[in-house]
Amino acid sequence: MQVNVTYRCTSRLSLRVTPTGRVNVSAPIGTSQAVISVFVERHRDWIAQSLQKMEGQQRKRASFYDRLPLETPEQRAEAVRCLDSLILPLVRQYAQRMGVQPAGVTYKPLISKWGSCHTATRRLTFSAYLLLLPSWCVEHVVVHELAHLLVPNHSPRFHAVMDRFFPRWREARAEIARQIT
């Protein structure tokens, strides 16, 4: 087990297990290695449980994304056709309703996010893996990215836009998280 220690202006020891399986310990400046070792040893069972839980989550995520093969040009082309038929009507519908006009839509095999909005160019990018989600969750992602054309951040104003145009956004976000974790 790899343990990374960071010394900080803090009053107590704390630890965190990262999704990559690393154990990070934050320690007050001047804490001895012996004290840190005892702390880590005392939490060994919790660390093991956390690592096991994360491995299970990673397996579930991998099996989720593996359901959409994108290895060959034919598979990618078919995914784009399906995405166009799913996403473009939603973009048109909500763009009109919201009074925004994106400059274009592209798709990428993103696994770290479902979509993005480049506000300077007004271009929207969506993950090809949206094809694995329920359609109402895809609708949420489309509205979310279009909302960034009105509000570029995730401020309360942004959430008000989401509440107005897709009131079930919190439910959709929870469903998406449930699908992959």
Side-chain angles (χ1 to χ4, degrees):
M1 162 175 52
Q2 181 182 354
V3 177
N4 300 315
V5 179
T6 304
Y7 294 95
R8 302 182 188 277
C9 291
T10 184
S11 60
R12 62 184 178 85
L13 287 161
S14 64
L15 68 89
R16 180 170 94 77
V17 177
T18 69
T20 59
R22 291 171 39 153
V23 177
N24 291 335
V25 175
S26 291
I29 296 170
T31 305
S32 71
Q33 186 60 46
V35 169
I36 293 169
S37 295
V38 168
F39 177 76
V40 169
E41 187 58 39
R42 208 172 52 223
H43 292 88
R44 188 169 290 284
D45 288 344
W46 179 86
I47 293 168
Q49 289 171 354
S50 296
L51 288 169
Q52 189 173 22
K53 180 180 175 184
M54 284 186 191
E55 286 173 15
Q57 288 171 337
Q58 287 175 337
R59 276 193 303 277
K60 185 174 181 183
R61 278 180 67 87
S63 68
F64 175 84
Y65 290 109
D66 286 347
R67 292 176 18 216
L68 181 65
L70 296 171
E71 287 81 35
T72 68
E74 294 81 15
Q75 291 169 333
R76 290 189 291 275
E78 178 60 22
V80 167
R81 281 191 293 278
C82 292
L83 286 160
D84 276 344
S85 68
L86 177 65
I87 303 274
L88 293 181
L90 291 170
V91 169
R92 282 191 289 272
Q93 173 190 348
Y94 279 99
Q96 182 180 18
R97 212 184 279 179
M98 297 168 78
V100 296
Q101 188 57 51
V105 173
T106 58
Y107 310 110
K108 293 182 179 177
L110 305 171
I111 59 171
S112 61
K113 55 188 169 183
W114 297 107
S116 65
C117 173
H118 192 272
T119 54
T121 62
R122 305 185 69 75
R123 293 195 61 78
L124 306 179
T125 301
F126 294 100
S127 172
Y129 296 104
L130 285 171
L131 293 171
L132 301 173
L133 295 177
S135 60
W136 70 281
C137 292
V138 175
E139 187 175 354
H140 153 259
V141 174
V142 169
V143 174
H144 181 108
E145 298 313 328
L146 287 168
H148 281 306
L149 295 174
L150 296 170
V151 183
N153 52 41
H154 292 114
S155 66
R157 197 168 136 240
F158 174 85
H159 293 126
V161 169
M162 289 300 296
D163 287 337
R164 179 173 175 206
F165 293 104
F166 198 82
R168 293 179 64 194
W169 70 268
R170 289 174 183 86
E171 186 182 345
R173 189 172 64 179
E175 176 60 23
I176 291 169
R178 191 188 68 73
Q179 294 269 330
I180 62 169
T181 58

